[in-house]
């Protein structure tokens, strides 16, 4: 039996700090409906899809709760779940998670066509800093507002209506770290969903990275890692000028050969669609990237034994 799924990437334009939650949710539902109208069984939304990218701001602790979801779903986002279930469409969506114990994570969930959560992921590779950088108008304070993800890189078997693909999730900066992809690859991953909010400038300061270079890097990371793990990948942005700060677009769907098969053309709300044939993953998984035949983990110790660079002596 063919194993194929039409997947939609639901790129979002900017969400301003003063935009209402209801208006943003309406946009998400509209994108979901557009994907469903084009026959998609899965719609992939960006990172932190329900709010502006608030880590660019230094915000007092007592004012942070408005950006966090106390549960998923919750009454504020339930209409998205309800509409998806009515359309029999699954989705991936990123959000700021506040646990019942008061912990904070940059998270995403994968939701099946019946509205049930199939898996949750918490972002592992947090960029930026804890303390704000002096003299910078826009900050990158994810390390201040979120804890490092503690769920690892889980993969799950998608429902039969999707063709049963082994599916994993990453969030934004995770896509730049090949270790994350390889952990998913070692579980046989066939579809990786990635939402992101990536600055159109160097968020760590300096002027050597512009929107064009950062968009190139965003695509390069997804294309190369999709190829090296023989998997489909759907990478979806929140894009455009948000609260005066630029975010790159470049949302794309990439096949197991690393080729872009669908790509956003704007920095606004936009749906891209591709048919993902999961049997195409077997060419890479059984030949060039047959891990069982070719990996030599006894020589990979430094990847897990050290964090920073250790230069050779002399």
């Amino acid at each position: 039996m063919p194993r194929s799924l039409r997947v939609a990437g639901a790129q979002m334009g900017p969400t301003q700090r003063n935009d209402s939650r209801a208006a943003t949710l309406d946009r998400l539902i509209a994108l979901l409906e557009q994907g469903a109208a084009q026959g998609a069984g899965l719609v992939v939304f960006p990172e932190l899809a329900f709010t502006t990218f608030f880590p660019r701001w230094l915000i007092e602790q007592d004012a942070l709760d408005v950006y966090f979801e106390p549960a998923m779903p919750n009454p504020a986002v339930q209409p998205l779940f309800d509409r998806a279930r009515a359309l029999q469409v699954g989705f991936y969506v990123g959000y700021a998670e506040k646990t019942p114990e008061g912990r904070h994570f940059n998270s995403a969930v994968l939701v099946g066509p019946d509205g049930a959560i199939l898996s949750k992921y918490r972002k592992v590779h947090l960029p930026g800093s804890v303390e704000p950088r002096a003299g910078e108008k826009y900050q990158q304070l994810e390390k201040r507002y979120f804890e490092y993800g503690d769920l690892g890189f889980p993969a799950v078997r998608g429902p039969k209506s999707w063709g049963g693909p082994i599916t994993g999730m990453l969030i934004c900066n995770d896509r730049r770290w090949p270790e994350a992809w390889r952990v998913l690859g070692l579980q046989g991953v066939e579809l990786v969903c990635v939402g992101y909010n990536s600055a159109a400038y160097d968020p760590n300061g300096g002027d050597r990275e512009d929107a064009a270079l950062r968009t190139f890097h965003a695509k390069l990371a997804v294309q190369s890692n999709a190829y090296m793990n023989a998997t489909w990948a759907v990478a979806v942005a929140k894009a455009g000028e948000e609260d005066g700060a630029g975010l790159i677009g470049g949302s794309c769907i990439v096949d197991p050969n690393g080729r872009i098969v669908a790509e956003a053309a704007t920095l606004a709300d936009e749906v891209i669609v591709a048919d993902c044939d999961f049997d195409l993953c077997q060419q890479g998984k059984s030949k060039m990237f047959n891990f069982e035949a070719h990996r030599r983990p006894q020589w990979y110790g430094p990847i897990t034994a050290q964090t920073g660079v250790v230069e050779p002596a002399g």
Side-chain angles (χ1 to χ4, degrees):
M1 291 290 291
R3 299 176 58 240
S4 183
L5 172 67
R6 181 164 293 182
V7 176
Q11 178 175 286
M12 297 180 69
T15 299
Q16 310 304 337
R17 198 172 183 180
N18 292 327
D19 288 351
S20 72
R21 281 295 200 97
T24 302
L25 192 69
D26 286 345
R27 289 170 57 200
L28 287 163
I29 292 172
L31 288 165
L32 180 85
E33 292 173 339
Q34 290 176 43
Q38 295 181 60
L42 171 65
V43 176
V44 179
F45 291 109
E47 172 189 31
L48 298 176
F50 300 111
T51 66
T52 192
F53 184 74
F54 63 89
R56 70 169 60 92
W57 305 109
L58 180 61
I59 302 171
E60 295 300 322
Q61 192 66 37
D62 59 1
L64 274 175
D65 273 356
V66 68
Y67 298 105
F68 283 84
E69 310 302 326
M72 187 58 62
N74 61 67
V77 304
Q78 188 65 51
L80 176 65
F81 282 73
D82 293 343
R83 187 61 180 139
R85 184 172 59 252
L87 293 169
Q88 287 291 286
V89 173
F91 63 92
Y92 158 111
V93 68
Y95 65 102
E97 176 191 6
K98 182 179 179 180
T99 73
E101 300 76 28
R103 302 175 70 191
H104 298 82
F105 296 97
N106 188 338
S107 300
V109 289
L110 181 68
V111 180
D114 61 354
I117 291 176
L118 300 173
S119 183
K120 180 163 72 174
Y121 171 70
R122 290 169 172 166
K123 187 174 181 179
V124 169
H125 298 99
L126 297 177
S129 59
V130 175
E131 297 302 326
R133 300 187 316 277
E136 297 288 342
K137 182 177 182 181
Y138 303 113
Q139 303 291 334
Q140 184 14 309
L141 297 173
E142 287 191 57
K143 284 186 168 75
R144 186 183 189 92
Y145 300 138
F146 301 120
E147 296 181 45
Y148 290 102
D150 60 356
L151 300 177
F153 300 100
V156 296
R157 178 74 71 176
K160 290 182 179 180
S161 62
W162 292 357
I166 300 172
T167 306
M169 295 181 280
L170 299 174
I171 299 174
C172 198
N173 191 42
D174 289 318
R175 73 194 189 279
R176 302 184 178 104
W177 298 89
E179 298 91 332
W181 293 84
R182 184 48 47 91
V183 173
L184 291 173
L186 287 168
Q187 298 171 78
V189 76
E190 297 169 303
L191 175 64
V192 179
C193 303
V194 188
Y196 61 95
N197 288 199
S198 292
Y201 54 89
D202 186 347
N204 298 303
D207 57 6
R208 295 192 176 184
E209 296 185 10
D210 60 12
L213 180 60
R214 288 182 62 79
T215 302
F216 167 74
H217 286 159
K219 295 177 186 176
L220 176 66
V222 176
Q223 290 180 257
S224 58
N225 283 289
Y227 165 64
M228 289 185 289
N229 292 280
T231 183
W232 288 88
V234 186
V236 180
K238 177 139 63 64
E241 187 166 307
E242 189 174 85
D243 297 328
L247 294 170
I248 64 168
S251 299
C252 57
I253 301 175
V254 176
D255 76 8
N257 289 304
R259 297 177 299 195
I260 294 175
V261 297
E263 183 176 1
T266 73
L267 298 177
D269 289 7
E270 181 180 352
V271 173
I272 58 174
V273 172
D275 291 321
C276 300
D277 180 353
F278 300 114
D279 289 336
L280 293 180
C281 299
Q282 292 310 306
Q283 169 71 17
K285 291 185 186 300
S286 65
K287 296 180 180 179
M288 184 66 72
F289 300 108
N290 181 335
F291 295 156
E292 184 175 4
H294 304 309
R295 291 187 79 247
R296 293 296 177 264
Q298 66 268 34
W299 303 114
Y300 306 157
I303 291 177
T304 55
Q306 68 190 63
T307 304
V309 172
V310 178
E311 296 184 353

